[in-house]
Each structure stands twice: as structure tokens, then as C-alpha cells.
């Protein structure tokens, strides 16, 4: 048997969040809690349309989050705006109405590190006041005021690469060297975050699988993921049931769990420390198998 050559970087083994430090010496799973009617997978089941607006069932969201924690998730990632290809922008107040009641309920009733998937400075400030631990921003704090808003909190920040905007990002994306270009973008965004006052120990980076990349770009990034660990920040990988899995398997989102877990194992081999997933139990099992493989006999 050939055992993967993987020595964790001690500098990326702990993440500081507003809810305390998260040990990343062993990779962890981030469970996805979509509070949207239009996510590509597993979103609309947590609410319904009332008065012409999508309303979240907070109790149902809490039960879903509690289930993910019981399955081994270490973080719950709450999102009120779909960022799937072709998604529309959500008005600020609508995003707040979806996210804030759930975040407040999670923090009051469950023992979980809460991450909020948002690019809006106002949402960042609101969830920071509520006590959330982390921001997960697909735009890497590029919206006006976002980096200042994040710097004014103690929350960890995940900086993700996305070319373009969700509505147009999959319209024939092109790169001369996708790994080098994504890496340079993330380096610059991390430098900007640090310059604004964000502690490096609060930073996570994410190459953004499926965000302004075609299938070849995505699999090139997955194959070369270890290069992103060289910056010294924990790497987050979000591969769960995405179109790249469908391209490889010919499966629709509801049938992509086996392919997703195969991709998770490759991401773990590439040094990912946080795996964002809709399928927590299966992902935690994959992390356990991978971690056992690396243990000295």
C-alpha cells in the first residue's frame, strides 16, 4: 500500500473564531444549512412562500442543524442567498430576514460554531452582534465595506475565489493557468484582509470549486489543491454534489453522494482542513478513514 505523503502544517492547525478556537489538526466537516428557495440542492425544504416571500421555518432549520451536529459537523454554515450558477441577487432585508432569526436560534439553543455565508457588510455586522463565529464570503470581502466590516469583528473569515457573479460566472470561464490565477487572487485577498486588521489566524481560503470554472478547471484545482496549503492558511473545499461531480458521473444532484465522497477523499489528500458538505455523516466517515490512513502504526 502507498500511504499519501501528507504532513499537516502546524501554522494552519488552529483557526480563531469569535466563538473560540477550532482545532484543525484533524480535518473537520462544515454542514450546509441553506435558507433559500433556489439553491441547487437541499434549500427550499426549510421554508415556504408566504405573502409573496420565502419564509424560513426556524424550528425546522434548528432540527436540521441539530441533526448535522449529531452526525459530527463542527461548524454549521448558514446561507440566505443562493450563489448557484444563474442565481439572482437577494435584497439585503430579505437576506437578513432569512438568516438572522436562524443564527440567533442556533446560538441560543445549540452548541455549534456558526458560519454565515454572506457577502453583505450589513449582514456580517448583524450576525457578529448575534455572536456568530465565522464569515464565509464567496466574494472574498470585495463588496464595498465588507473588509472593514469583517475587520471590525472577531469572526474568522473564509475568502473564496469566484470569477464574475453567480448570474454570469459560468458563461465560458477562461484562464491561462487556473491554479496560478486562483492562488494569486487568494494571496492578494488575504493580504488585503490582514492590511485591514484581520489576524492571519482568522483566515481560511477556498479555491471556489464551481464558481466561474468549467469541469477541467475544477479538476485541475482539485488535483493541485496542495499548492494552496503553502500559504499557511487552512483550506476549505466545497465539492458537495456540484456539477463537476455530475460531469464525472452523469448523475443528477440527488444521486451524487458517492462521487462527492470520492472528491472529498482527494481534497483531504490535497490538504483540505474544512470540508463543506450537505451530507455530514458520510463526510465525517470519509474524514475518519483518511485520518486513520495517516496515523502511524
Amino acid at each position: 500500500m502507498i500511504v499519501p505523503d501528507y504532513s499537516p502544517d502546524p501554522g494552519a492547525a488552529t483557526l480563531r473564531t469569535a466563538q473560540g478556537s477550532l482545532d484543525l489538526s484533524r480535518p473537520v466537516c462544515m454542514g450546509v444549512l441553506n435558507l433559500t428557495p433556489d439553491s441547487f440542492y437541499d434549500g427550499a425544504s426549510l421554508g415556504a412562500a408566504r405573502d409573496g416571500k420565502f419564509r424560513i421555518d426556524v424550528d425546522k432549520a434548528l432540527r436540521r442543524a441539530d441533526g448535522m451536529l449529531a452526525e459530527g459537523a463542527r461548524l454549521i454554515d448558514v446561507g440566505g442567498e443562493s450563489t448557484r450558477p444563474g442565481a439572482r441577487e437577494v435584497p439585503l432585508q430579505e437576506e437578513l430576514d432569512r438568516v438572522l432569526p436562524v443564527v440567533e436560534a442556533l446560538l441560543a439553543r445549540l452548541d455549534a460554531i456558526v458560519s454565515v455565508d454572506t457577502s453583505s457588510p450589513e449582514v456580517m455586522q448583524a450576525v457578529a452582534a448575534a455572536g456568530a463565529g465565522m464569515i464565509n464570503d464567496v466574494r472574498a470581502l470585495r463588496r464595498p465595506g465588507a473588509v472593514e466590516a469583517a475587520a471590525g469583528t472577531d469572526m474568522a473569515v473564509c475568502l473564496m475565489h469566484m470569477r464574475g457573479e453567480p448570474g454570469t460566472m459560468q458563461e465560458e470561464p477562461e484562464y491561462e493557468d487556473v491554479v496560478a490565477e486562483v492562488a494569486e487572487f487568494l494571496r492578494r485577498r488575504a493580504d488585503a484582509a490582514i492590511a485591514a486588521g484581520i489576524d492571519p489566524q482568522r483566515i481560511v481560503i477556498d479555491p471556489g470549486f464551481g464558481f466561474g470554472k468549467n469541469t477541467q478547471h475544477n479538476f485541475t484545482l482539485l488535483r493541485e489543491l496542495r499548492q494552496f496549503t503553502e500559504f499557511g492558511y487552512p483550506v476549505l473545499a466545497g465539492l458537495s454534489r456540484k456539477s463537476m461531480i455530475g460531469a464525472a458521473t452523469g448523475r443528477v444532484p440527488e444521486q451524487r453522494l458517492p462521487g462527492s465522497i470520492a472528491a472529498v477523499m482527494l481534497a483531504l489528500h490535497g490538504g483540505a482542513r474544512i470540508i463543506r458538505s450537505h451530507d455530514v455523516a458520510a463526510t465525517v466517515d470519509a474524514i475518519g478513514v483518511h485520518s486513520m490512513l495517516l496515523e502511524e502504526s
Side-chain angles (χ1 to χ4, degrees):
M1 177 186 295
I2 299 175
V3 178
D5 178 15
Y6 172 47
S7 300
D9 171 13
T14 302
L15 177 67
R16 283 187 51 208
T17 84
Q19 293 176 259
S21 295
L22 178 64
D23 181 7
L24 296 178
S25 57
R26 172 174 169 151
V28 300
C29 179
M30 169 188 276
V32 179
L33 192 66
N34 283 327
L35 308 179
T36 60
D38 56 345
S39 292
F40 83 97
Y41 179 77
D42 196 28
S45 61
L46 297 183
R50 294 195 301 274
D51 303 323
K53 186 179 290 188
F54 183 70
R55 307 283 184 177
I56 298 301
D57 185 327
V58 174
D59 287 337
K60 190 179 289 187
L62 281 171
R63 288 194 296 272
R64 176 74 60 82
D66 194 33
M68 290 191 289
L69 293 172
E71 291 172 347
R74 295 295 307 280
L75 307 100
I76 301 296
D77 193 40
V78 180
E81 179 180 22
S82 175
T83 51
R84 64 174 175 78
R88 70 175 182 88
E89 286 193 19
V90 174
L92 173 61
Q93 190 57 53
E94 188 172 344
E95 184 182 0
L96 284 167
D97 290 345
R98 292 176 184 177
V99 168
L100 197 54
V102 173
V103 168
E104 291 172 341
L106 285 172
L107 292 166
R109 294 163 58 179
L110 299 179
D111 184 16
I113 294 179
V114 176
S115 167
V116 179
D117 188 348
T118 186
S119 298
S120 300
E122 297 87 351
V123 176
M124 294 176 192
Q125 292 167 335
V127 299
M134 181 171 173
I135 299 162
N136 183 14
D137 186 2
V138 300
R139 295 174 179 85
L141 303 180
R142 284 182 293 158
R143 276 189 173 166
V147 70
E148 293 84 3
T153 77
D154 291 323
M155 290 191 289
V157 178
C158 181
L159 305 171
M160 196 197 80
H161 176 275
M162 174 173 64
R163 175 160 290 183
E165 289 291 324
T168 59
M169 65 186 178
Q170 290 306 102
E171 295 177 1
E172 300 182 2
E174 294 184 2
Y175 300 85
E176 291 187 10
D177 183 332
V178 66
V179 174
E181 291 174 50
V182 172
E184 175 61 15
F185 171 88
L186 292 173
R187 182 193 65 77
R188 287 189 284 104
R189 294 313 302 157
D191 287 350
I194 292 168
I198 296 173
D199 190 314
Q201 290 188 316
R202 291 167 49 197
I203 294 174
V204 177
I205 58 174
D206 177 357
F209 294 102
F211 285 80
K213 291 104 177 166
N214 63 27
T215 299
Q216 182 180 356
H217 298 145
N218 287 320
F219 278 96
T220 298
L221 289 168
L222 183 57
R223 184 174 61 248
E224 302 297 332
L225 192 64
R226 185 174 300 279
Q227 293 192 36
F228 294 92
T229 68
E230 296 174 3
F231 291 117
Y233 306 114
V235 173
L236 184 150
L239 300 151
S240 182
R241 298 183 183 258
K242 287 188 173 179
S243 61
M244 62 183 287
I245 309 299
T249 63
R251 305 286 187 182
V252 297
E254 292 75 15
Q255 299 171 339
R256 292 176 188 168
L257 176 57
S260 295
I261 296 305
V264 164
M265 293 298 285
L266 294 170
L268 292 168
H269 178 53
R273 296 298 185 89
I274 303 174
I275 304 294
R276 186 179 185 272
S277 178
H278 301 90
D279 305 288
V280 171
T283 300
V284 169
D285 284 353
I287 290 171
V289 169
H290 183 265
S291 297
M292 185 67 72
L293 179 66
L294 299 180
E295 286 186 4
E296 295 183 5
S297 58

